Amino acid sequence: MKIAIAGATGRMGKMLIEAVLNSTDAQLVGALEHSSCSQLGEDAGAFLGKKTGVLISSDVAQVLNNSEFLIDFTRPEGTMSHLAVAEKMGTKTIIGTTGLSPDQMNSLKNASAKLAIVFAPNMSVGVNVTFKLLEIAAKMLNQGYDIEIIEAHHKHKVDAPSGTALKMGEVIADALGEKLDDVAVYAREGHTGYAREGHTGERKEGSIGFATIRGGDIVGDHTVLFAGDGERIEISHKSSSRQSYAQGSLRAARFLQNQSNGLFDMQDVLGLRK
């Protein structure tokens, strides 16, 4: 598999490059960065002390010309710019970027009419198995349980709640026959005029609450709490390394080898779809 990596100098980009270089069925053929990146022209494997012959470039068309697959874990604007070129060139795309707007998601769906795409807010195999466990739990615990989603990430993460937390909420809401937008509670703050008193009122039945933590170098922790009278059930996933995201991305590329077009997620890749 001839693979190009977007965001090649970032934390996730480096992990992806290392995973591709260590894979027996993948070849690194391109490394993308923005035009103001200070490392343009350097070897993409320099951070590992390796010479790959692949130089970091900002020329999307040139990089994708030699690529069968693009793996993109960047920012929404960059991802959509890369996708427009990938669509023209037929480069199958794996997207782990979070924080896409509704309009950007529509662009993704439109591109998938001609292009094979895997889009998932979290490429970890373990996280996607967790999604399936949450679907089962929500259906079984559909009465008498309050649901809270607690997520923690490093201090540099710019979106909140995380894409993974939102996906967890969507999975649970769908299992309950609801739309997340109708039941989600993203913040709780009580105040009257200028006096902040902390009174928020009782919890609304059927709501799904979110709590966000940002600090240090936390890779990604997610816990869903089903709180009933006299008991609670917690389903958690904790990441200690981005390696799981990188390995999941390669698994997604292998899945796309047999797809000509369409928009897929990791549930499709892992065969967990109904």
Side-chain angles (χ1 to χ4, degrees):
M1 299 183 296
K2 295 182 178 180
I3 297 177
I5 305 298
T9 66
R11 290 185 296 272
M12 191 62 219
K14 290 178 178 178
M15 188 66 72
L16 287 163
I17 288 171
E18 185 173 7
V20 171
L21 293 177
N22 290 334
S23 175
T24 58
D25 63 348
Q27 177 186 2
L28 183 70
V29 298
L32 278 172
E33 265 298 352
H34 56 83
S35 59
S36 60
C37 177
S38 62
Q39 297 177 56
L40 290 180
E42 295 183 9
D43 194 290
F47 71 99
L48 294 171
K50 295 183 178 181
K51 289 186 177 180
T52 67
V54 176
L55 303 183
I56 300 171
S57 171
S58 62
D59 190 330
V60 182
Q62 182 183 45
V63 169
L64 296 190
N65 186 51
N66 300 315
S67 308
E68 295 175 293
F69 303 91
L70 171 66
I71 304 179
D72 191 324
F73 281 71
T74 58
R75 299 284 179 88
E77 295 74 16
T79 295
M80 301 315 296
S81 176
H82 301 155
L83 180 64
V85 181
E87 184 180 359
K88 292 178 181 178
M89 305 189 72
T91 307
K92 298 178 181 182
T93 306
I94 298 97
I95 298 173
T97 304
T98 60
L100 298 185
S101 70
D103 285 344
Q104 289 168 334
M105 282 303 303
N106 283 333
S107 296
L108 207 63
K109 292 174 184 175
N110 291 336
S112 71
K114 295 189 293 184
L115 189 67
I117 302 169
V118 169
F119 169 71
N122 195 310
M123 294 284 175
S124 159
V125 172
V127 160
N128 283 278
V129 172
T130 302
F131 290 154
K132 193 65 178 180
L133 296 175
L134 290 172
E135 177 189 343
I136 296 169
K139 288 179 178 178
M140 297 296 102
L141 306 173
N142 62 354
Q143 295 181 18
Y145 290 85
D146 297 320
I147 302 170
E148 291 285 311
I149 301 173
I150 306 104
E151 59 101 342
H153 283 84
H154 54 87
K155 60 187 176 184
H156 301 293
K157 188 168 179 61
V158 298
D159 57 313
S162 70
T164 301
L166 291 171
K167 180 64 175 179
M168 287 177 165
E170 290 172 0
V171 168
I172 293 167
D174 185 61
L176 296 173
E178 301 284 353
K179 291 184 178 180
L180 182 60
D181 288 345
D182 295 335
V183 296
V185 176
Y186 297 112
R188 297 186 179 98
E189 183 181 38
H191 59 86
T192 303
Y194 295 103
R196 189 163 298 176
E197 300 173 352
H199 297 294
T200 61
E202 292 186 0
R203 179 191 180 96
K204 183 180 178 181
E205 185 176 353
S207 61
I208 299 175
F210 288 80
T212 296
I213 298 167
R214 293 287 177 267
D217 62 353
I218 302 170
V219 174
D221 293 353
H222 295 85
T223 295
V224 178
L225 171 65
F226 295 86
D229 293 333
E231 67 175 2
R232 67 178 182 270
I233 298 169
E234 296 181 9
I235 298 177
S236 296
H237 179 277
K238 300 181 186 298
S239 296
S240 58
S241 167
R242 293 176 180 82
Q243 186 176 15
S244 61
Y245 309 149
Q247 292 302 322
S249 299
L250 289 179
R251 196 158 171 174
R254 295 182 187 107
F255 170 82
L256 286 185
Q257 284 182 303
N258 298 317
Q259 310 298 328
S260 58
N261 67 297
L263 181 59
F264 307 94
D265 62 16
M266 287 300 288
Q267 300 290 298
D268 297 304
V269 172
L270 299 175
L272 295 174
R273 185 72 61 208
K274 293 179 181 178

